[in-house]
Amino acid sequence: MSDAPPQPPAGGWEPRDPTVQTPGDADAPPSPRPPGPDRPRARTPHPDRTPDPGRTRPRRTGWRRALPTRRTVLGGLLLLVLVLGGGFLAGYHLIEIPPANAAATAQANVYLYADGSPLAQGGRVNRESVPLARIPRPLQQAVLAAEDRDFHTEPGVDPGALLRASWNTLTGKGTQGGSTITQQYVKNYYLGQERTVTRKVKEFFIAIKLDRAKSKDEILEGYLNTSYYGRNAYGAQAAAQAYYGKDVQDLDTSEGAYLASLLNAPSAYDVGARPSNRPRALARWNYVLDAMVQERWLTAAQRSALRFPVVLPSHPTAGLAGQRGYAVQAVNAFLARHGVLSQKELAAGGYRITTTLRKDRVDAFSEAVREQVLDRLDPDTNPADRYVRVGGASIEPSTGKIIALYGGVDYTRQYVNNATRRDYQVGSTFKPFVLASAVAHGATTQHGEPITPNTVYDGTNKRPVQGWTGKAYAPANEDDVSYGGIPLHTATDRSVNAVYAQLAVDVGPKKVQRTAIALGLPADTPDLNASPSIALGPATASVLDMAEAYATLANHGRRGLYTLVEKVERIDPDGDHPLPLPAAGSGARQAVSREAADTTTAVLRGVVEGGTGTAARAVGRPAAGKTGTAEDDKAAWFAGYTPDLATVVALMGQDPKTGAQKPLYGAMGLARINGGGAPAEVWAHYTGTALDGTPARDFDLRLPEGSEIDRDREPEDLTEEAGAEDTTDQATDDRPRPQDPPPPDRTAPEDEIRITE
């Protein structure tokens, strides 16, 4: 038999009829039907896919078909791990530790009295950052017990808490804490308080990096200095002052535990603001202390001995109310003027400024003004009382320290500082500078006679000054009183304008101007012009300027730096950094000779003893001073001193609505306000209180020969000397006849005394 396949016949195969069975077909299996358009081709099973009769897999039917297979689940989990891992790596590399936000680094300027007690805080944020070393360990431990007991041993993040907080935010179930101290610090210092998933993610990655970049102590220090404790207090130091009125290093364990309790919800646990909060606050306080015992930071015996601390009552933020704002304003101006800190640096905050102001003296000044002026005003029934403003300044002559200022009734109600403003005439309080200049320069009269306190001048009203080449000047005395021949010391007691205008010409107005500046008036004082009128005080120096000049007279003519600031420190967590500062009294020099200053003091003692300033005698100790009244009685002044204290007080008239200067006629129920009235009374009240308990000292005066004041000479003798001096002053026979009227009746009521200013 051939192995070759059969070949078709020459004419090809004949088609076969499938219905006709050929021999052998009976035993053969049926031939498959040829494929056609309506008949599918039969599939032959693959030998490898032949079903195993011993293994059967039931088909998934019904709802099971909707479930993912195990393979799908495993693949999905693997994909999720890859995505999360990639996201973590991307986030870790892309999210850097940012710079601190402005709110976290902003600090208030802390202003202190000379004894270190708080005066005021300037700035929008009540924070004073302190190093961790200043924060007591019990307070640190109390915070850890309340917020994150595992802080020192655990990583800086808590993934579970982060996921929980994020899920609650996404599902609208509210927000919750649970963040570590590191995460809370990141939120406070680097980010913000917005509650979003994005912020939580950033917080997560920054906390991880921060935990590796900084030590635990650095993070804890930052947290304690940025956390909010209520009462507008950011940081532990501000909180210690707000709740206990003390520095943070002085807190005990009980007080520290209460501050730690506040971190959870300050408004809910502030027992000073709401006594009804006490049960909740007590429970939270106990929780913190119990946690400290559990962590072995307290013994059970120590815990049982602790009592809930007494918390200061909550008051509205004092800020700059009362005299505080005026003090801050004056201190800032002083620092800027002397180049210590610019206004921009002060606005940025972060400085601790110890002033020379003494709280007891500031309070004494306020009390004196209240009793002698404010309590006597009735603006509802007396329109003139609405115009009254008061300014004051007080200096220690021996040290140059400004120890008290009075700027006005309240900085939050009246922003202009009456102690430092330069827009009211100083009036006759300027006259002592003319006298000091005369003695200092050895001036002589128009006749060549040396000028001493006993030199007789013509005090006739509206007498033209002699020896002046400028425009004719003939000033009026107050109330147009003519005094005739009068010695210079008496003319000072009675503030005779005609005499002092002539004295200014005899000395030389330019020399008088230079003397005033040397004593303490700024060179750019408005209307400090070198003319005969300079003696009558048209210059508009401030109360503080005048206090400095009078302090120089009290200090025997020696002038140093008058200062408001003892110390300035930059507040930093790593320690405070002092700034260079000119010391009080530095650069001291003799502004005028001691003899000139002491002669002036001797004359000014007569003003207090029997002149226009007798109200100042109420101080009960040796004093010298001078009264003054501005033109149209728009201001009344008293400037005076004892050997220990120089103080100036001024009443000013100002329309509270327009700011225009107003006469003080009728104010306080008096026909007129003059320097010998309320200003001298405030001066005596304040000075007596400020020096209470200190021994009264007399002035140690060194007078030039021939300058001893002769207060016993008879009026007729003075008249003869005045007439002799004036014979060459007038070229005509119509020269005024010297007259020396008797002094005002000091037994008359104060409002009826008409004095010459």
Side-chain angles (χ1 to χ4, degrees), residues 211-505:
D211 198 45
R212 299 182 63 184
K214 290 191 175 185
S215 69
K216 291 290 187 179
D217 281 353
E218 289 176 308
I219 294 172
L220 181 59
E221 178 184 285
Y223 174 75
L224 292 171
N225 279 313
T226 56
S227 296
Y228 182 61
Y229 294 80
R231 298 193 183 184
N232 194 37
Y234 291 85
Q237 168 64 12
Q241 288 290 346
Y243 289 92
Y244 302 112
K246 62 175 70 172
D247 288 328
V248 66
Q249 65 266 23
D250 299 325
L251 297 180
D252 59 28
T253 302
S254 177
E255 294 166 337
Y258 177 72
L259 292 188
S261 303
L262 292 168
L263 292 170
N264 182 255
S267 61
Y269 302 127
D270 187 347
V271 297
R274 292 184 180 179
S276 59
N277 285 340
R278 185 177 178 85
R280 280 187 293 178
L282 185 60
R284 181 69 178 174
W285 179 76
N286 283 322
Y287 165 79
V288 172
L289 292 177
D290 291 342
M292 293 178 71
V293 173
Q294 292 174 13
E295 296 296 321
R296 299 184 179 181
W297 293 330
L298 277 181
T299 66
Q302 291 172 327
R303 162 72 179 89
S304 63
L306 296 176
R307 297 293 180 267
F308 191 76
V310 176
V311 177
L312 293 177
S314 176
H315 297 291
T317 303
L320 302 178
Q323 297 303 307
R324 289 182 287 272
Y326 301 121
V328 168
Q329 187 185 76
V331 167
N332 288 351
F334 175 88
L335 293 173
R337 185 169 66 251
H338 291 279
V340 180
L341 289 171
S342 67
Q343 293 293 346
K344 184 177 180 180
E345 289 172 317
L346 285 164
Y351 296 94
R352 182 185 294 108
I353 302 166
T354 303
T355 72
T356 59
L357 298 173
R358 292 180 49 177
K359 188 176 187 306
D360 59 336
R361 303 295 173 88
V362 174
D363 291 344
F365 221 135
S366 297
E367 177 65 16
V369 173
R370 184 188 64 78
E371 285 198 20
Q372 301 300 329
V373 178
L374 301 183
D375 286 352
R376 296 162 65 182
L377 300 178
D378 186 7
D380 293 334
T381 59
N382 184 10
D385 285 349
R386 303 171 191 169
Y387 303 148
V388 177
R389 302 285 182 270
V390 183
S394 186
I395 297 176
E396 287 182 343
S398 60
T399 65
K401 295 179 180 180
I402 301 166
I403 61 172
L405 292 175
Y406 184 87
V409 63
D410 189 323
Y411 184 74
T412 61
R413 295 164 53 191
Q414 175 196 316
Y415 298 111
V416 178
N417 191 338
N418 294 328
T420 58
R421 66 190 300 170
R422 291 183 174 132
D423 55 350
Y424 281 85
Q425 294 179 346
V426 302
S428 291
T429 55
F430 191 93
K431 287 174 180 172
F433 308 154
V434 185
L435 175 58
S437 187
V439 180
H441 290 96
T444 61
T445 66
Q446 293 292 304
H447 310 296
E449 299 175 1
I451 296 175
T452 73
N454 300 309
T455 300
V456 176
Y457 273 87
D458 186 351
T460 302
N461 184 51
K462 296 182 180 180
R463 173 185 178 275
V465 296
Q466 306 298 308
W468 174 245
T469 58
K471 184 178 180 180
Y473 185 63
N477 297 329
E478 187 167 356
D479 297 331
D480 290 324
V481 175
S482 286
Y483 291 88
I486 186 172
L488 184 54
H489 67 81
T490 305
T492 307
D493 294 347
R494 303 180 187 180
S495 204
V496 182
N497 290 339
V499 170
Y500 265 87
Q502 184 62 58
L503 179 62
V505 172

Side-chain angles (χ1 to χ4, degrees), residues 18-228:
T19 62
V20 179
Q21 187 172 5
T22 61
D25 287 346
D27 298 330
S31 176
R33 300 176 68 182
D38 56 350
R39 184 170 296 143
R41 185 184 300 272
R43 295 184 179 180
T44 303
H46 192 280
D48 294 336
R49 296 180 183 175
T50 303
D52 184 355
R55 289 181 61 191
T56 60
R57 179 185 294 173
R59 288 194 164 198
R60 292 156 39 104
T61 60
W63 61 271
R64 291 184 179 85
R65 298 179 62 185
L67 296 177
T69 65
R70 183 168 46 191
R71 183 178 300 169
T72 303
V73 171
L74 292 175
L77 289 175
L78 179 60
L79 179 62
L80 180 62
V81 170
L82 291 174
V83 170
L84 291 178
F88 178 86
L89 291 175
Y92 187 83
H93 287 287
L94 292 176
I95 298 177
E96 299 291 342
I97 299 177
N101 63 60
T105 56
Q107 299 184 69
N109 289 324
V110 180
Y111 298 82
L112 306 174
Y113 287 107
D115 63 359
S117 59
L119 191 163
Q121 286 191 337
R124 293 173 295 177
V125 178
N126 179 17
R127 178 190 290 114
E128 181 184 353
S129 296
V130 295
L132 190 64
R134 278 187 59 189
I135 301 176
R137 183 163 292 277
L139 172 55
Q140 299 178 36
Q141 294 168 336
V143 170
L144 296 178
E147 299 296 314
D148 188 357
R149 301 177 197 181
D150 299 324
F151 170 74
H152 283 290
T153 58
E154 297 295 329
V157 296
D158 184 346
L162 176 62
L163 292 174
R164 193 165 50 249
S166 300
W167 176 255
N168 286 340
T169 301
L170 286 172
T171 57
K173 295 181 180 179
T175 57
Q176 70 180 73
S179 298
T180 65
I181 278 182
T182 304
Q183 290 173 270
Q184 293 181 54
Y185 173 52
V186 168
K187 178 183 67 174
N188 294 339
Y189 193 75
Y190 296 104
L191 301 175
Q193 302 301 315
E194 66 275 8
R195 298 183 180 273
T196 63
V197 174
T198 301
R199 196 268 295 165
K200 293 296 284 185
V201 171
K202 288 182 178 179
E203 175 187 304
F204 177 83
F205 286 108
I206 296 172
I208 292 175
K209 288 191 171 185
L210 195 69
D211 198 45
R212 299 182 63 184
K214 290 191 175 185
S215 69
K216 291 290 187 179
D217 281 353
E218 289 176 308
I219 294 172
L220 181 59
E221 178 184 285
Y223 174 75
L224 292 171
N225 279 313
T226 56
S227 296
Y228 182 61

Side-chain angles (χ1 to χ4, degrees), residues 2-13:
S2 174
D3 294 330
Q7 298 296 320
W13 297 107

Side-chain angles (χ1 to χ4, degrees), residues 614-629:
T614 53
R617 287 188 301 185
V619 73
R621 59 180 65 214
K626 185 70 186 75
T627 58
T629 304

